[in-house]
Amino acid sequence: MSYIPQTPQKDLPGSYVQTPVHQSQALSQQGQGAQPQTQRSNVGEIQPIARAARAVNEALSQESQYPDLDSYIGQGISSEYEVSTQAAWAPFQKTKMHTIPDRIFEQYNRAQVSTIMGLFANFNHAWVAIDNALYLWDYTHPSPDLVSYEDASHTITAVRLVIPRPGVFVPSIVRLLVVATTADIILVGMSAQTASHGGKTVALYSLKMSAPVKSLDVDVIEGSHATGRIFFSGRGSDDVYELTYQQEEKWFTNRCAKINHTNRGYSTFTPSLLFGQKAQQEIVTQMVVDDSRRLLYTLSSRSTIRAFFMRSSNGLDLVISKPLGQTLSNVGHMTSQTDLISPSMSIVSINAVTAQEAAKTNLVASTSTGCRLFMSATSAYGASPNSSTAPTSMQVQHVKFPPAGTSSPQQNQTSQSTQLTQYSSAPPVNTSSKALDPSRSVVRYAPGYFLTFVVKDQQAGLDLLFVSGPDTGRIAQPQLQQNPIKYPELALWLNLGSRAEDVGLASAEFLASSGPVGFGNELAVQFDKPTPEIAILTNTGVHMLRRRRLVDIFAAALRVGGGDEGLEGEVNHFVRRYGRAEVASTALAVACGQAFDVTSDLRLGRISDPEVLELARKAFIEYGGKPEYPENSVLDRSIPPIDVVRPSPRHAGVARYVSRLLRSIWSVPIIIENPTPTGGFQIATAVSLIKLRDISQDLTKLKEFLDANKSFIEGLAGPETRGNFGNKKDEVSLLAEHRALHALVVLIDRVIEGIAFVLVLYDEKIEETILSLANETRQQVRNLSYEKLCTTDVGKRLAKDLVKAIVNRNILSGSNVETVAEALRRRCGSFCSADDVVIFKAQEYVKRGAEYGADSDVCRDYLNESLRLFKQVAGSLSTEQLQWAVEQYVALQFYAAAIQLCLDKARESDRGNRALSWIQDGRPQGVGSVNVQLPLRFAHIGQDKRAEAFEGRRRCYDLIHQVILSVEQSRTQSPDFEGANLSLAGRRRREAADEIDHSDDEVFQTDLYDWYLKNGRADELLAVQSAYVVTYLERRSSDDIAHADLLWKYHVQKERFQDAASVQLALAKSQFELSLDKRIEYLGNAKTNASTTRPGTVRSARTEVLREVSDLLEVANIQSDLVQRLKSDERISADRKPSVIGELDGMILPLSVLFNTYCEPALYFDLCILIYEAADHRVASDIKATWQNLLERTHQRAVDKGQGSQPYEMVAEEVRSLGNKLGLSPTMFPVGELLPMLKRYAHHFQHEKGSETWVLDIFIDLQVPFESIYATLENMFYNDEPPFQGRNRRLIGNDLVYIAKMWFQDSIRGSGPPFGGEDNAAAVSQLLHLVMQGGLDERRLEECQNLRMRIETLLR
C-alpha cells in the first residue's frame, strides 16, 4: 500500500512532548468495543482404540471390586430369600438325569451285607460299593463300561477320592481311591484320560498299600488337595486318624500306616461315664479340609465342631473345640429366643469357606432346623489366621434363617404360565420358619450355592431339595436398592423323588478372582467360564443341576413375558434390580446368542428363538438409556464439553459385555516361555487356542450385531444421521456417545484380528520365530499382553516385528514369501496388510541387490525393482521401514531413489495437501491462532491438524537432508569428474541434485529452504533456480526479516530491481522491530533500485513505486530530524527521554501524528514547515504564522543561549537551512512574505548589528531570483509599510540600491541584457531616481548615482 500524506489539523488532540498519546493507550481504547474471545483448552485428543481400552479397563476394574463375602453378611441375622415360583426365573434348573446302568442293578441284587453309593463328579463318574466290590461308571455315557475293584477281602464301608502327595507315584496316577473296609483301609491308584465323547475314562491300579483298621468301622474320609494327607474316622471311635504312605518301606515305617492324632491325653476326647448308665459314644460324622488355612474341621455326633491345624511337619494340632452350647451362646447375642436355635436342634453339616473367598469367615455350619451359621475363626488379639498361624477361637458371625413359608416343588416344575410371577416379597427377618425343618444334610459350593436336603416325610424317606445361591447382581450394586438387605439369595424347591446319596461339583470350582474381593462375581465370568453344574446321586440316577446365569434368566423371562406388550414391564423389572447398564449388557448378550436353556429333549442348547432374539435387540436399543450431560461440570472451561458427557448405560453395557468376553485374555501374555531339560525353551500359550477361537467367534457375532443395527442404535451411526438437534446439549451428548461407541467398535475389530494373529503365530514354528528376534524385542514379546497387542503402538510394532520374523524365516527356508504374507493379510489385516506383502518383497530385493555390490548392474536391477514396489505402497511405509530403505539406498549409492521414495512417502501421507494449506495460511499453531470458530462438535480439537500433516511430511524430508549430507560427504571420497568425463559417482550425485531441483513438491521445497537457512546455507538458497524460492521467501518474509532481506537480495541478484524496490519499501513500512535509520536505509536502496531501468520494465509501475518511496522517504527524514531534535532537547527529563525517543525510532508515523503530537507542541516550527511541504498544506496564513513563530523562537533561543554569536546570525542560518530543504518552494518559502518579515525583525531586534544587507544576502545565497527580491522591496517602498515609514523609508531605498547593483552585476556577467531586458533596466533606473529623491545614505547615494549612469549609458 502506498503512503498517503495527511494534512495536519491543528484542532486534533495532542499534548506536549512530555505526555504524548502512548500507543498502548490507543490500542486499549481501540479494543474496548471488541468482544473477548473464548479460550479453548488444547486437550490432546485420545485415539479411539485407547478410549475403548480405557472403557474396558474401567469395566474390569469395577467388576473386580465386587464385594467380598464378609462385607455383605456382616454381624447379625438375615432371612432374605426370593423363592422362585416360575421356571423362567429359577436360579437353578435340572438339565437331565443320567440313569443307573442295568449292570449295576444286577450287582446290587446280589448284595449280601451292604451297599453304598457315591460320586466322583469332577470325573463324571459314579460308584457303588456292593459288599467287598467297588464299581465305577461314566454316568454321562449312554452305555458305559464298568470299572471294577474286587481285590478287597472285606465289606467296603467308605470310599473317597483324594489327590496324592506329589512325587510318591508315577505322574499317570492322578488320584487315589481310599477304600475303607471293616478290616483295613486300602489305597488304589487311578488314572484318567479324556475320551472322544468329551468325558473321562479312568483306570484303577493296585498299589499294594493298606493299613489295618479293625473295630474302627471307618465311614468318614477326607483328603488335603495341597499336601496329599489323608484323614479318617469311624463309627466306633471319636479319634482322628491319618493314613500315611510313601514310595518305599523304611527301617521303622511301612509304606502305608495309620496315625492316631487324638488319643494323646486330650480331655475332650476322653469318654465320660455317668453313674448308673452308659453315655452314648461321641463319633465324628464329617470332616472338611481347608487347605487355604491348613485347617481340618470335624463335626461330631454331639454337634461339636473342632478345628485342627495341619503343621508343615505332618503334625495335627487341635486348636479349637466348640461345643454346641458355645455356639448357642454366640447366637443368643444376635437374636431373641427361637425354636430354630435351641438345644434340641443339631448341626448336620459343616462346609469350609476358603481364604480366597473370605478373609474372616471360615466355616458355615448348617442346623437340622435349616439355619446357617457363618463362623469366623481368629487367632491371638482378634487377628485373622493365615496358612502359617493357627486360630485360637471361633465365633458365630452371622445367622441365616430359613425362608418364610414353603412352596410346592411340583408347582415349580410344572407351572407354564405366560405371566411372570414376581419373587415373593422379603419381610422382616423371620426367625421361626419351619420351611427347612428337618434338614438332613447341607452342601455348599463357592461362591455360595447351598443344597439343603429336607425330609418332610420320615417314613417315605424322600428328599426335598432346597437350592439357593447369591443374587449376584443385587450384591454387586447395592446402591440400586431402596432398602439394602443382607445377603440376598435366589432359591428354588426341587422334588428329587428319592433320597440323595451323594452330591458332587461336576464343573471346575468357581473362582472369579484370587482374593476375597471380586471372588463371587458370577456376572463377570458368565461368558468366560463354564456354567457351574452339580451332580446329585439318588437311587434312581444322577440328577444334573445347572446354575442359571443372568443372561439365561433374562432370555427366559423375555420368552414368557408377553412379547412386545410385556417387554417394557420385564425390562423395567430387571432395571430396578440390576441397573440399566447391566440390563443393556445382558440384552446384548442374549441378542448375540449367549443365552442357553434346556430343550424339550433335556439337552442344553443356545436360545435361537427369533422372537426372543428380537425382543433382546429391542431391549438393548430402546431401553439402553441416554448420555448424561452434567450441567455443573460445564462451568469448568478448561475441559471441552464433550469430555464431561457421561456416555449412556448402553455404552456401559457394551463395554461390560466386551470386558467379560476378554477378561481371561486381556492382561495375560500371548506367549509363555518354558525351559526344557536340555537347556532350550518351549513356547506355550497362557490361554488355550480353543478358548481364543471361542472369544473371536463371540466378538465376531457382537460386531455383526452392531453393524446390522448401526442405524437403529442411537449414537453408533454418528450425529450426521440424526437430523436436527433440539439444543447444543443434545448435539454434544450425541457426539460423545458416538465417539464412545465407535471406539468400542474399533477395539472389537482390532481384538478379532489380534486373536487371529496369535493363532497364525502358533500355526507357524513359533519357537524359531521367537528365537530369530533381537534380544530386546524378544523380551518385549514375552511381556506382550493381548491388551498391549491390540491397543498400543508398541504392540502393533512388535506384531510387525513378529510378522517380519515369520516372513524372514520363510525366506530362509525357501518358502514363497507372497503366499505366507498373503495368508497373514487375509487373517489379520491390521497386522499384515496387502501393502505389507509388497514391502516384504521390496526389502527382499534390496537385500539381494546388496549381495552383488553397489556397482553391479544386477544390483541396480534389484534396486530399481525394489523402488518400484516401495513406491506402490509408499503410503503404508512406517517410519522405521522408510528409514531402513533410505539407509540401504544411501549405502548402495542409490541417492536419487532414496529421495524419490521419501518424496512419495511424504505425498502419500498427506494426499489432501493439508500441509501446503497450513503453510499458505501462515503456519497457525492452533484454532485460536487463526481465529477460527469451529462447530461445537469439533470443540475438542485444540491443534491445527494440518500442522500434524506437515510434521509427518517433515520426517520424510529429514531423511532427504541426510541423503544430501551423504552426497556431499561422498564428494570427498570420489571426484565428480574423471578427466573431462563425468564419473559414475558424479553421475549419481547429479541424479540426486536433479531430483531435488525438479521436484514439484512445494512443501518439500519449503522445508528444504528452511533447512538451508537453519544450517547457515543462505548462499545455496540464493543460488537455487526455482520459482518456489520467491514464493517461499515472500511467504516467510511476512514474519521474518531475515527472509525479507534474502528476498530483495534474490531479486537484485536476478536483476529484478523493481521487485527488489517493492520488497524494500514493504520492509520500511513493516511491523518489524527496525530502527528509523534502518527504514531510511531501505527506502534509500528502494529509491535507487526503482530508479534503475531495465528492458521490459513497466514504466507506470516503476513510477508509482518511485513516487511512493520518495514520499515515504521525505516523511522518514522529517521523523529522523525530529528524533535528533528530541535527543538534544533539554526540556525533556532524562528518565522520560528514552521512551519518547523509542516511540519515534521505529515505525514511520503519519504526518498528523508528527505534527500534532510532537512538532507543534514542542515548538519545532522548522519541522512544522517541512511537514506542510510534505503534506502539501497550502494555507498561507498557517505558513506565514509558522515562519513568524520560527523567527521569534530562533531569536529567543539565541538570546537565551548567549554564547557571543548574534541572534540575527542564528536566524539567518535557520532561514538559509530551511530554504535549502524546501527547495525555494513558492508556497512554503514565500519570498514576498519572508523578506518583509525578516526586514522587520532586523529593524526591531538587530538594528545596526552586523551587515546592513544580511537579510538580502540570505535570499541571494539561496539563489532567489533578483527579480523576486527586487519586486518585494519595490512593493515595500511604494506601500510605505511600518516601520519603514518616514525617515526609515530610506532603509528600503538602501536595500533597493544594493539589490539593483547586485542584479546589474549578475546580469552583465552573461551574454544577456542588463536586468533581463531594456524595460526592466528602464524601470530600475526610474525607481532609483525616486529613491534618490527620497533620501539615501551618503554611500548608497553615490552608488545609486553611479549605477543610474551606467544603466542610462547602456540604454542609449
Side-chain angles (χ1 to χ4, degrees):
M1 172 184 265
S2 62
Y3 180 81
I4 302 176
Q6 300 181 25
T7 302
Q9 301 296 324
K10 285 190 174 182
D11 57 349
L12 291 177
S15 61
Y16 183 61
V17 69
Q18 296 225 29
T19 58
V21 177
H22 197 274
Q23 185 178 6
S24 62
Q25 298 177 6
L27 291 176
S28 64
Q29 294 172 3
Q30 181 182 2
Q32 286 178 359
Q35 295 295 328
Q37 294 183 356
T38 302
Q39 298 295 324
R40 295 186 181 274
S41 176
N42 294 330
V43 179
E45 175 67 9
I46 303 176
Q47 293 299 318
I49 198 73
R51 187 181 304 280
R54 184 175 66 182
V56 170
N57 283 322
E58 289 175 355
L60 290 172
S61 175
Q62 181 181 2
E63 296 203 316
S64 68
Q65 300 303 312
Y66 180 86
D68 62 316
L69 178 63
D70 295 324
S71 67
Y72 61 81
I73 58 170
Q75 181 78 26
I77 61 176
S78 65
S79 65
E80 287 79 7
Y81 294 89
E82 293 192 2
V83 183
S84 173
T85 60
Q86 174 57 248
W89 286 78
F92 294 86
Q93 67 181 157
K94 291 173 64 176
T95 56
K96 62 172 60 178
M97 186 186 77
H98 304 285
T99 59
I100 298 175
D102 293 338
R103 295 178 58 188
I104 296 297
F105 285 112
E106 293 175 1
Q107 297 294 332
Y108 177 79
N109 292 331
R110 300 174 186 172
Q112 298 180 358
V113 179
S114 68
T115 301
I116 54 177
M117 303 175 67
L119 285 171
F120 302 146
N122 50 348
F123 288 93
N124 304 121
H125 274 65
W127 59 269
V128 60
I130 302 174
D131 295 338
N132 64 339
L134 177 65
Y135 301 99
L136 284 70
W137 73 96
D138 181 358
Y139 57 78
T140 63
H141 198 281
S143 56
D145 295 329
L146 296 184
V147 180
S148 62
Y149 174 74
E150 300 176 339
D151 294 342
S153 303
H154 302 84
T155 301
I156 297 175
T157 59
V159 177
R160 190 68 172 175
L161 189 67
V162 300
I163 296 177
R165 190 167 64 246
V168 177
F169 307 103
V170 295
S172 60
I173 302 297
V174 295
R175 293 291 187 272
L176 290 179
L177 273 180
V178 184
V179 181
T181 70
T182 55
D184 50 15
I185 187 166
I186 306 166
L187 295 182
V188 179
M190 189 180 87
S191 64
Q193 294 180 344
T194 302
S196 58
H197 64 278
K200 298 285 187 179
T201 60
V202 301
L204 302 181
Y205 301 91
S206 176
L207 301 177
K208 306 297 184 182
M209 302 178 76
S210 63
V213 290
K214 288 184 178 180
S215 73
L216 289 182
D217 198 7
V218 175
D219 65 341
V220 179
I221 306 173
E222 190 58 63
S224 168
H225 291 181
T227 62
R229 298 176 69 177
I230 302 172
F231 304 98
F232 63 92
S233 185
R235 300 185 186 92
S237 171
D238 57 357
D239 293 335
V240 175
Y241 292 85
E242 180 177 359
L243 181 66
T244 62
Y245 54 96
Q246 57 190 11
Q247 275 187 326
E248 299 177 352
E249 292 187 0
K250 298 183 179 179
W251 283 101
F252 301 103
T253 56
N254 297 325
R255 290 185 62 202
C256 188
K258 71 177 186 296
I259 301 174
N260 188 337
H261 287 287
T262 55
N263 64 350
R264 301 175 183 177
Y266 295 126
S267 60
T268 56
F269 279 83
T270 303
S272 58
L273 298 178
L274 298 177
F275 293 100
Q277 67 180 29
K278 181 178 180 181
Q280 184 178 3
Q281 174 68 43
E282 183 180 16
I283 62 173
V284 175
T285 59
Q286 187 181 359
M287 288 183 178
V288 177
V289 170
D290 181 0
D291 283 316
S292 64
R293 296 184 176 92
R294 294 170 59 185
L295 293 177
L296 169 67
Y297 300 101
T298 65
L299 175 65
S300 77
S301 56
R302 296 178 182 173
S303 299
T304 298
I305 300 173
R306 297 182 176 89
F308 296 84
F309 184 68
M310 298 184 291
R311 288 188 283 110
S312 56
S313 59
N314 291 330
L316 190 68
D317 299 333
L318 175 64
V319 292
I320 296 174
S321 180
K322 192 171 187 65
L324 179 60
Q326 290 185 12
T327 302
L328 295 176
S329 176
N330 292 157
V331 176
H333 294 289
M334 301 181 189
T335 181
S336 58
Q337 186 174 0
T338 171
D339 293 339
L340 299 183
I341 306 293
S342 66
S344 62
M345 65 89 180
S346 62
I347 297 177
V348 296
S349 298
I350 57 174
N351 292 274
V353 179
T354 64
Q356 288 80 11
E357 186 176 358
K360 295 180 180 179
T361 304
N362 292 51
L363 193 72
V364 179
S366 302
T367 70
S368 59
T369 56
C371 297
R372 282 183 268 153
L373 313 179
F374 292 82
M375 311 185 79
S376 174
T378 58
S379 58
Y381 307 105
S384 298
N386 52 47
S387 59
S388 60
T389 59
T392 57
S393 63
M394 182 181 293
Q395 301 293 327
V396 176
Q397 191 77 13
H398 183 87
V399 180
K400 181 85 173 193
F401 284 92
T406 185
S407 178
S408 171
Q410 288 79 9
Q411 293 180 0
N412 291 344
Q413 295 175 351
T414 60
S415 176
Q416 297 296 330
S417 172
T418 58
Q419 297 296 324
L420 177 64
T421 303
Q422 294 187 355
Y423 287 158
S424 58
S425 60
V429 178
N430 188 335
T431 60
S432 59
S433 172
K434 299 290 187 176
L436 301 182
D437 186 16
S439 294
R440 180 175 64 84
S441 175
V442 179
V443 179
R444 179 188 187 274
Y445 297 109
Y449 308 145
F450 283 92
L451 289 84
T452 303
F453 296 94
V454 182
V455 183
K456 290 296 184 180
D457 188 348
Q458 294 290 345
Q459 294 181 352
L462 301 180
D463 286 335
L464 292 178
L465 174 59
F466 180 79
V467 55
S468 64
D471 191 348
T472 309
R474 297 176 68 189
I475 294 173
Q477 302 188 69
Q479 71 276 8
L480 296 177
Q481 313 303 324
Q482 295 180 354
N483 298 310
I485 58 178
K486 289 184 179 181
Y487 197 6
E489 288 186 89
L490 304 176
L492 176 71
W493 282 97
L494 290 174
N495 190 348
L496 297 179
S498 58
R499 177 184 173 88
E501 301 293 339
D502 198 4
V503 180
L505 187 63
S507 57
E509 294 184 0
F510 184 88
L511 182 72
S513 70
S514 58
V517 177
F519 180 91
N521 195 347
E522 295 180 89
L523 298 178
V525 298
Q526 59 182 326
F527 313 121
D528 179 53
K529 293 188 176 182
T531 305
E533 282 191 313
I534 301 171
I536 305 172
L537 177 64
T538 68
N539 53 16
T540 59
V542 179
H543 301 263
M544 301 305 298
L545 194 63
R546 174 180 175 269
R547 170 66 162 171
R548 299 184 74 211
R549 306 167 301 168
L550 182 60
V551 64
D552 305 326
I553 296 175
F554 185 77
L558 293 179
R559 175 182 289 169
V560 301
D564 291 336
E565 294 77 10
L567 178 62
E568 182 177 1
E570 292 295 337
V571 172
N572 289 336
H573 180 69
F574 273 91
V575 169
R576 286 192 298 271
R577 293 178 64 89
Y578 305 120
R580 197 171 294 277
E582 187 62 48
V583 172
S585 175
T586 305
L588 180 60
V590 173
C592 292
Q594 288 284 4
F596 284 81
D597 200 0
V598 178
T599 61
S600 58
D601 58 350
L602 299 180
R603 292 182 180 274
L604 189 65
R606 291 184 184 271
I607 296 179
S608 57
D609 185 350
E611 181 180 358
V612 175
L613 299 183
E614 175 61 18
L615 290 173
R617 187 189 75 88
K618 286 185 177 180
F620 174 74
I621 294 174
E622 298 177 8
Y623 300 94
K626 294 183 177 296
E628 181 179 347
Y629 188 90
E631 300 285 353
N632 295 335
S633 300
V634 183
L635 297 177
D636 186 358
R637 301 258 177 178
S638 64
I639 304 176
I642 191 174
D643 288 338
V644 301
V645 176
R646 184 181 295 109
S648 67
R650 181 188 298 105
H651 165 266
V654 177
R656 192 172 296 180
Y657 179 55
V658 172
S659 70
R660 289 170 179 175
L661 293 178
L662 300 179
R663 71 185 313 274
S664 61
I665 67 170
W666 189 245
S667 300
V668 302
I670 64 171
I671 67 166
I672 297 176
E673 286 191 13
N674 296 321
T676 61
T678 59
F681 68 91
Q682 184 177 11
I683 300 296
T685 174
V687 181
S688 71
L689 300 184
I690 296 176
K691 178 68 173 178
L692 288 177
R693 292 187 180 95
D694 290 342
I695 294 174
S696 179
Q697 184 178 3
D698 290 338
L699 289 173
T700 301
K701 291 180 180 178
L702 173 60
K703 179 180 180 299
E704 292 172 351
F705 173 83
L706 295 176
D707 289 342
N709 295 277
K710 184 176 182 179
S711 59
F712 303 104
I713 299 174
E714 185 174 1
L716 185 58
E720 66 276 1
T721 63
R722 305 306 298 175
N724 296 326
F725 300 100
N727 50 51
K728 287 294 183 183
K729 182 179 73 172
D730 294 341
E731 181 183 3
V732 175
S733 299
L734 188 60
L735 179 60
E737 179 79 357
H738 170 68
R739 185 175 68 170
L741 287 174
H742 171 70
L744 288 173
V745 172
V746 173
L747 176 64
I748 292 168
D749 285 334
R750 185 67 63 83
V751 175
I752 291 172
E753 293 193 353
I755 293 175
F757 172 73
V758 173
L759 294 174
V760 170
L761 190 63
Y762 279 97
D763 286 343
E764 295 288 328
K765 296 181 179 179
I766 187 170
E767 286 82 5
E768 295 181 9
T769 302
I770 299 298
L771 194 59
S772 66
L773 298 173
N775 290 334
E776 181 180 358
T777 303
R778 180 176 170 184
Q779 181 58 43
Q780 291 176 337
V781 171
R782 288 195 194 102
N783 300 328
L784 181 63
S785 65
Y786 286 86
E787 176 190 5
K788 293 179 181 178
L789 172 67
C790 299
T791 64
T792 65
D793 292 336
V794 173
K796 192 171 184 180
R797 177 181 60 80
L798 292 176
K800 294 284 187 182
D801 291 339
L802 288 168
V803 169
K804 188 175 180 180
I806 293 173
V807 172
N808 289 338
R809 185 182 62 79
N810 282 273
I811 291 175
L812 293 176
S813 63
S815 301
N816 190 317
V817 177
E818 294 186 25
T819 302
V820 176
E822 180 63 25
L824 288 168
R825 183 200 64 78
R826 188 171 57 254
R827 299 181 63 179
C828 42
S830 296
F831 301 98
C832 181
S833 63
D835 290 348
D836 290 331
V837 177
V838 178
I839 292 171
F840 294 143
K841 192 171 183 179
Q843 290 174 338
E844 182 180 356
Y845 281 143
V846 173
K847 292 178 181 179
R848 291 182 182 179
E851 296 174 356
Y852 290 92
D855 297 333
S856 169
D857 291 339
V858 177
C859 174
R860 288 293 139 178
D861 292 340
Y862 274 122
L863 293 182
N864 284 324
E865 183 62 19
S866 70
L867 176 62
R868 184 185 67 81
L869 294 175
F870 275 136
K871 293 177 73 172
Q872 285 182 7
V873 294
S876 300
L877 287 173
S878 66
T879 302
E880 294 78 8
Q881 290 169 336
L882 179 63
Q883 184 172 358
W884 178 89
V886 170
E887 291 173 353
Q888 297 299 315
Y889 283 158
V890 169
L892 296 172
Q893 299 181 7
F894 204 22
Y895 307 120
I899 295 171
Q900 283 184 36
L901 184 57
C902 291
L903 291 175
D904 283 1
K905 169 60 179 176
R907 188 179 297 107
E908 288 297 321
S909 66
D910 180 27
R911 303 186 70 175
N913 223 1
R914 294 179 299 166
L916 179 59
S917 171
W918 180 70
I919 292 173
Q920 291 173 343
D921 286 348
R923 308 190 186 200
Q925 294 302 314
V927 173
S929 62
V930 293
N931 197 23
V932 176
Q933 194 69 26
L934 294 181
L936 184 58
R937 61 179 179 272
F938 298 121
H940 63 283
I941 301 177
Q943 293 295 329
D944 196 328
K945 296 298 183 182
R946 298 176 299 172
E948 297 179 6
F950 174 79
E951 285 301 313
R953 298 182 74 154
R954 188 181 61 79
R955 285 190 288 269
C956 301
Y957 302 147
D958 287 343
L959 295 176
I960 298 180
H961 302 159
Q962 296 177 16
V963 175
I964 294 174
L965 295 176
S966 299
V967 169
E968 294 176 350
Q969 185 179 4
S970 69
R971 273 198 185 88
T972 62
Q973 301 172 357
S974 58
D976 287 341
F977 290 90
E978 295 176 353
N981 298 323
L982 190 64
S983 65
L984 177 61
R987 185 167 66 251
R988 291 172 178 171
R989 287 190 284 267
R990 180 164 297 181
E991 290 172 355
D994 290 343
E995 286 292 336
I996 294 174
D997 292 341
H998 296 100
S999 171
D1000 59 355
D1001 186 345
E1002 186 175 351
V1003 181
F1004 162 64
Q1005 296 288 358
T1006 300
D1007 179 76
L1008 179 64
Y1009 304 152
D1010 284 340
W1011 182 69
Y1012 278 152
L1013 297 179
K1014 180 180 179 181
N1015 292 276
R1017 305 165 75 133
D1019 293 340
E1020 295 184 37
L1021 173 62
L1022 295 178
V1024 173
Q1025 299 291 334
S1026 173
Y1028 291 124
V1029 176
V1030 175
T1031 304
Y1032 166 78
L1033 292 176
E1034 286 178 346
R1035 186 180 295 127
R1036 298 303 300 270
S1037 62
S1038 62
D1039 55 7
D1040 186 6
I1041 190 171
H1043 289 82
D1045 281 334
L1046 285 174
L1047 178 58
W1048 70 259
K1049 290 177 182 178
Y1050 186 83
H1051 285 316
V1052 170
Q1053 183 172 310
K1054 305 303 179 184
E1055 298 185 352
R1056 294 195 287 265
F1057 300 108
Q1058 182 180 338
D1059 293 337
S1062 298
V1063 175
Q1064 291 165 333
L1065 174 62
L1067 279 172
K1069 296 163 59 178
S1070 68
Q1071 300 288 336
F1072 292 126
E1073 294 184 2
L1074 295 173
S1075 66
L1076 184 61
D1077 290 341
K1078 188 65 177 178
R1079 295 177 189 273
I1080 294 174
E1081 179 184 345
Y1082 281 129
L1083 290 172
N1085 293 333
K1087 189 172 184 179
T1088 301
N1089 288 322
S1091 302
T1092 305
T1093 60
R1094 280 189 50 83
T1097 303
V1098 180
R1099 183 179 181 85
S1100 60
R1102 183 179 68 85
T1103 303
E1104 178 65 23
V1105 172
L1106 185 59
R1107 183 195 64 78
E1108 186 177 359
V1109 170
S1110 300
D1111 290 347
L1112 191 59
L1113 183 59
E1114 185 179 2
V1115 177
N1117 286 326
I1118 294 173
Q1119 186 170 332
S1120 178
D1121 291 342
L1122 176 60
V1123 170
Q1124 298 304 318
R1125 192 71 58 83
L1126 289 171
K1127 288 182 179 178
S1128 60
D1129 196 329
E1130 297 178 353
R1131 294 175 296 169
I1132 307 176
S1133 61
D1135 57 343
R1136 173 66 176 161
K1137 185 173 292 186
S1139 63
V1140 175
I1141 300 301
E1143 293 169 0
L1144 290 168
D1145 192 15
M1147 292 280 296
I1148 300 174
L1149 301 178
L1151 287 172
S1152 60
V1153 175
L1154 296 177
F1155 182 86
N1156 291 304
T1157 307
Y1158 298 100
C1159 294
E1160 187 179 43
L1163 307 180
Y1164 298 151
F1165 297 113
D1166 55 338
L1167 298 181
C1168 290
I1169 294 172
L1170 292 175
I1171 291 174
Y1172 290 157
E1173 172 68 14
D1176 198 20
H1177 183 67
R1178 297 177 180 274
V1179 180
S1181 59
D1182 290 347
I1183 298 171
K1184 180 179 178 180
T1186 305
W1187 273 107
Q1188 183 64 46
N1189 291 335
L1190 174 63
L1191 298 182
E1192 293 175 1
R1193 176 64 178 162
T1194 304
H1195 174 79
Q1196 187 61 44
R1197 284 193 296 113
V1199 173
D1200 295 341
K1201 205 170 186 179
Q1203 294 181 353
S1205 60
Q1206 294 298 326
Y1208 82 90
E1209 294 176 346
M1210 291 186 63
V1211 171
E1213 181 60 30
E1214 187 71 37
V1215 174
R1216 188 178 290 111
S1217 174
L1218 191 56
N1220 286 325
K1221 292 180 180 179
L1222 294 173
L1224 300 181
S1225 168
T1227 304
M1228 299 301 135
F1229 197 83
V1231 177
E1233 298 290 346
L1234 287 177
L1235 183 56
M1237 193 182 299
L1238 286 170
K1239 289 298 296 180
R1240 286 192 294 271
Y1241 166 77
H1243 177 76
H1244 288 301
F1245 296 101
Q1246 298 293 304
H1247 185 60
E1248 296 181 353
K1249 293 181 182 179
S1251 171
E1252 295 179 350
T1253 61
W1254 69 269
V1255 174
L1256 300 178
D1257 291 339
I1258 292 173
F1259 294 96
I1260 294 172
D1261 291 344
L1262 291 173
Q1263 297 182 0
V1264 176
F1266 287 102
E1267 294 92 332
S1268 299
I1269 302 173
Y1270 180 82
T1272 302
L1273 290 173
E1274 183 181 13
N1275 291 334
M1276 293 177 65
F1277 182 79
Y1278 284 123
N1279 291 337
D1280 196 22
E1281 296 178 354
F1284 304 108
Q1285 297 172 331
R1287 185 176 177 81
N1288 290 337
R1289 193 178 182 190
R1290 62 186 176 84
L1291 297 176
I1292 302 301
N1294 292 336
D1295 289 341
L1296 281 170
V1297 173
Y1298 177 74
I1299 202 64
K1301 176 183 176 181
M1302 297 300 294
W1303 188 5
F1304 177 78
Q1305 291 175 354
D1306 181 72
S1307 61
I1308 64 177
R1309 290 192 188 99
S1311 57
F1315 300 107
E1318 293 181 359
D1319 294 340
N1320 288 342
V1324 170
S1325 177
Q1326 183 180 359
L1327 181 60
L1328 290 177
H1329 176 72
L1330 292 175
V1331 169
M1332 290 173 60
Q1333 293 179 354
L1336 293 171
D1337 293 342
E1338 294 181 1
R1339 183 168 60 87
R1340 294 300 183 195
L1341 179 60
E1342 182 179 357
E1343 290 179 355
C1344 182
Q1345 292 173 348
N1346 293 334
L1347 180 60
R1348 284 195 75 243
M1349 290 177 59
R1350 296 182 66 180
I1351 294 172
E1352 293 296 331
T1353 301
L1354 292 174
L1355 290 176
R1356 296 192 189 102

